[in-house]
Amino acid sequence: GRRANAVYKAPGIANCPMLYDVELKQILTPAAGNLQACMANNPYDVSVVIENRGINPVSNIPISYQVNGGAIITETYSGTLNQNQTFTFTFAAQATLNIPGNISILAWTDYPGDMNVYNDTLSQSTNIVGGAALSIPVIEDFQSFTNCAVTTNCGATICSLSNGWINAANGTEDDIDWRTHNGATASAGTGPTTDHTLGTTAGKYIYLEASNNCNNQTAILTSPCMDLTGVVNPQLTFWYHMWGTNMGSLSVDIMANGVWNNNVTPTISGNQGNQWNLGSVNLVPYIGQNIVVRFRGITGNGFESDISLDDINIVESAAPPIANFTASANNGCVGKIVQFTDLSTNN
């Protein structure tokens, strides 16, 4: 006809099996988003995941990467991949990522006879954040932070944090920011009325504002880099407040050796009651390494899902109490506690 409606279709091939089709599925490292400089040790591994999406087995696959438009590094995976089989390939030639700022990684495969060029290439942006690794104990109660706006406008509010704590970029890395606040949140039926540290309306904490249809929105908070060398029994403790009938979820991840280990403690989901609750993560598996902690909060399907965090501490966990008992005359015991540390406070 003389009039037609055109619908844009992204380049690519779907539901069309081919004899030869090698896909670059993921850039694993460097990780996307913010990467503390202490994690960008030189040299730095570049790892990708490749997959054989074709029908026939493939081998001797050329794989390349390029950092910030610089020299192209090309190596070959000499193994064989059968149909739908994947492999994580780490380049022998490592990258230099020691300059703070944005790093652009471009990676691709170039298998001879590949019949689908649309899944051969990926790019990834990593922001190198300056700053030295902190020795534990690391205690964060947010009291020195500047309060952020309480406007119910979802990701339009940008909240800058302090002491090396970083909100991911809204619209690219996540959806909304963790906001520093004191007193009650903007909505009834959700959020705390006081912080955990002081237990007063003057005390500060960070939270997610879920009002104005901020439903199912993700907020990513990353810690400064922390050095776990020379420690014996390190532990992460944090206090969370998740009260509301529409409550979402909270997850904790740990980055070590430049790779994120997701859900190092079971994800906390749903209404947890109108009180501060204690969470903890055993950090012994990361002794001798630099680590970064990441909190991923996701709001629920309504405004009653303000998630809050306070008193995030990375400390040496206390040894069990050592007791010295002497028998009493009535066969009871007289005891004296000579060592005790209470992780439910900052003492």
Side-chain angles (χ1 to χ4, degrees):
R2 298 178 61 187
R3 179 178 297 174
N5 291 325
V7 178
Y8 174 78
K9 181 183 181 300
I13 298 173
N15 301 320
C16 184
M18 298 180 177
L19 294 179
Y20 299 101
D21 181 10
V22 178
E23 176 182 4
L24 186 72
K25 196 172 186 68
Q26 183 181 2
I27 300 175
L28 281 179
T29 59
N34 293 308
L35 180 65
Q36 275 78 354
C38 71
M39 287 290 175
N41 294 325
N42 289 310
Y44 195 92
D45 283 342
V46 177
S47 299
V48 299
V49 178
I50 56 175
E51 181 177 0
N52 180 11
R53 299 295 302 274
I55 297 173
N56 291 342
V58 292
S59 58
N60 297 319
I61 303 168
I63 310 172
S64 304
Y65 81 85
Q66 186 181 36
V67 178
N68 283 348
I72 296 174
I73 305 298
T74 300
E75 297 179 10
T76 300
Y77 170 60
S78 58
T80 299
L81 294 180
N82 295 315
Q83 186 177 18
N84 298 324
Q85 187 176 2
T86 62
F87 181 78
T88 298
F89 181 83
T90 300
F91 288 86
Q94 298 169 305
T96 300
L97 306 176
N98 61 339
I99 301 176
N102 189 68
I103 302 293
S104 177
I105 306 291
L106 184 68
W108 64 93
T109 63
D110 190 19
Y111 184 76
D114 192 306
M115 304 171 72
N116 178 14
V117 299
Y118 296 105
N119 61 4
D120 293 350
T121 304
L122 287 177
S123 62
Q124 188 156 283
S125 180
T126 300
N127 183 40
I128 307 299
V129 180
L134 304 178
S135 299
I136 68 170
V138 175
I139 309 295
E140 188 53 72
D141 59 13
F142 306 105
Q143 293 304 112
S144 64
F145 285 35
T146 301
N147 278 4
C148 300
V150 295
T151 312
T152 56
N153 59 359
C154 302
T157 291
I158 306 300
C159 185
S160 297
L161 304 178
S162 305
N163 299 342
W165 293 83
I166 302 171
N167 268 317
N170 296 343
T172 55
E173 298 175 60
D174 65 357
D175 304 307
I176 60 176
D177 275 356
W178 292 88
R179 306 184 186 192
T180 308
H181 187 61
N182 65 283
T185 62
S187 304
T190 189
T193 56
T194 66
D195 77 328
H196 176 262
T197 311
L198 303 179
T200 70
T201 57
K204 296 181 180 181
Y205 59 91
I206 59 173
Y207 85 106
L208 302 184
E209 179 53 65
S211 298
N212 196 20
N213 297 317
C214 265
N215 302 339
N216 305 309
Q217 300 287 287
T218 298
I220 296 176
L221 170 73
T222 54
S223 75
C225 196
M226 290 164 286
D227 183 359
L228 296 188
T229 57
V231 298
V232 177
N233 194 22
Q235 184 177 34
L236 162 68
T237 63
F238 59 96
W239 289 86
Y240 62 92
H241 193 286
M242 296 175 63
W243 173 51
T245 58
N246 308 122
M247 187 50 62
S249 64
L250 177 66
S251 301
V252 183
D253 311 321
I254 301 289
M255 175 182 277
N257 292 323
V259 177
W260 284 111
N261 302 283
N262 291 339
N263 303 314
V264 293
T265 190
T267 296
I268 306 165
S269 300
N271 191 347
Q272 303 297 311
N274 188 12
Q275 71 276 323
W276 288 97
N277 301 289
L278 176 64
S280 65
V281 177
N282 178 13
L283 299 179
V284 169
Y286 308 103
I287 286 176
Q289 303 177 56
N290 289 338
I291 68 164
V292 173
V293 178
R294 178 172 67 185
F295 291 89
R296 288 180 289 119
I298 304 176
T299 59
N301 58 3
F303 73 92
E304 292 184 345
S305 58
D306 291 352
I307 303 173
S308 305
L309 289 170
D310 201 2
D311 290 326
I312 303 174
N313 302 329
I314 296 87
V315 297
E316 280 275 22
S317 179
I322 301 172
N324 181 17
F325 290 102
T326 57
S328 68
N330 60 358
N331 295 324
C333 288
V334 176
K336 178 176 68 175
I337 300 294
V338 297
Q339 179 182 350
F340 180 72
T341 300
D342 184 0
L343 288 177
S344 65
T345 70
N346 285 328
N347 299 321

